[in-house]
Amino acid sequence: LMWGPMQPYISRLSPKLIRRFSSRMDTQAFALGVASASDQQLADAMAGKLRPVVLGEAVRRMKDEFIADRATDLDAVIQFAITGGPSGEADYYQLKIADSRCETAEGKAFTDTPTSNIEVDAVDFIKMVTGNAQGIDLYIGGKLKWDGGMMMLTRLTRMFNIPEVSAAPAAA
C-alpha cells in the first residue's frame, strides 16, 4: 500500500477498489510499505475508510501464511480486538486453529467465548503482522494485551510466515 504523498488519492477510492488492489499486493511489498510509513500516516489510514480493508486483508492473509506443522496439537479460537476505531470502537476478528488448519473470520463468527483474546491498537497490529514490530515486545511494553500467556504468544507468532523487513538503505 502506498503511503505518504499518495494517501489523499488512495483515500478517495471506493472501498471495493481498494480491497481489489490490496488483495493483489504482495505481502512483502505491503510490509515494506508499512515500514516506510510513519506512525501518524498509519494512524491516519486506520482512522478512515482504509481501516476495514487493511485490517480485513491482513487477517485474511494470516490463513495463507499459516504454517500447519507448527500447530498440529492446537485447537483454539483466538480473538483480536483491534482498538482505535474512528469512533473509539474495536474491530473484532477471529482465528480458528484446529486440525492443523487456520480459518479467519470478521467479528465473532466462530464463538462468543474464544480460547484466547488479544487486544491491540490498529497501528501496532499492522506493524506486528507485517514484521515491523514483534508481538512479544508489544506485550512486554504494555501495547498488547493477551490472556494466553507469554509462551503461547511466542508459539503463535511462529505459526505464521511473517515478513522480514530489513532496515531501509541509507541515503547517499
Side-chain angles (χ1 to χ4, degrees):
L1 198 47
M2 304 286 293
W3 305 100
M6 292 300 293
Q7 183 65 32
Y9 303 106
I10 292 171
S11 64
R12 292 184 192 141
L13 299 174
S14 73
K16 184 177 180 179
L17 187 59
I18 295 168
R19 194 171 293 112
R20 184 181 303 156
F21 172 74
S22 65
S23 68
R24 291 186 171 111
M25 181 177 277
D26 174 78
T27 301
Q28 186 67 30
F30 181 75
L32 290 171
V34 170
S36 69
S38 70
D39 283 355
Q40 186 59 54
Q41 289 170 320
L42 293 172
D44 291 347
M46 292 297 100
K49 66 181 178 181
L50 286 177
R51 180 185 175 92
V53 175
V54 172
L55 293 179
E57 185 63 20
V59 172
R60 185 200 64 76
R61 287 180 186 221
M62 293 176 92
K63 178 174 54 175
D64 299 338
E65 301 298 333
F66 182 66
I67 305 169
D69 63 346
R70 294 186 183 170
T72 55
D73 61 340
L74 188 61
D75 186 1
V77 174
I78 299 156
Q79 179 169 283
F80 289 93
I82 303 173
T83 62
S87 301
E89 75 282 0
D91 293 290
Y92 291 91
Y93 295 89
Q94 291 185 339
L95 299 179
K96 182 177 181 182
I97 300 173
D99 302 320
S100 297
R101 291 182 308 149
C102 177
E103 297 176 60
T104 62
E106 186 174 346
K108 299 179 180 182
F110 297 126
T111 182
D112 285 330
T113 55
T115 311
S116 297
N117 295 281
I118 295 174
E119 183 178 315
V120 63
D121 178 74
V123 171
D124 289 324
F125 173 77
I126 291 299
K127 290 169 79 173
M128 178 179 67
V129 299
T130 59
N132 289 286
Q134 300 298 316
I136 200 73
D137 294 335
L138 295 172
Y139 176 75
I140 291 169
K143 293 182 172 188
L144 181 146
K145 296 177 185 170
W146 163 258
D147 63 6
M150 197 176 302
M151 293 282 287
M152 182 58 187
L153 181 59
T154 302
R155 181 177 179 203
L156 180 64
T157 61
R158 291 182 180 147
M159 288 183 207
F160 298 92
N161 288 315
I162 298 172
E164 290 186 29
V165 181
S166 58

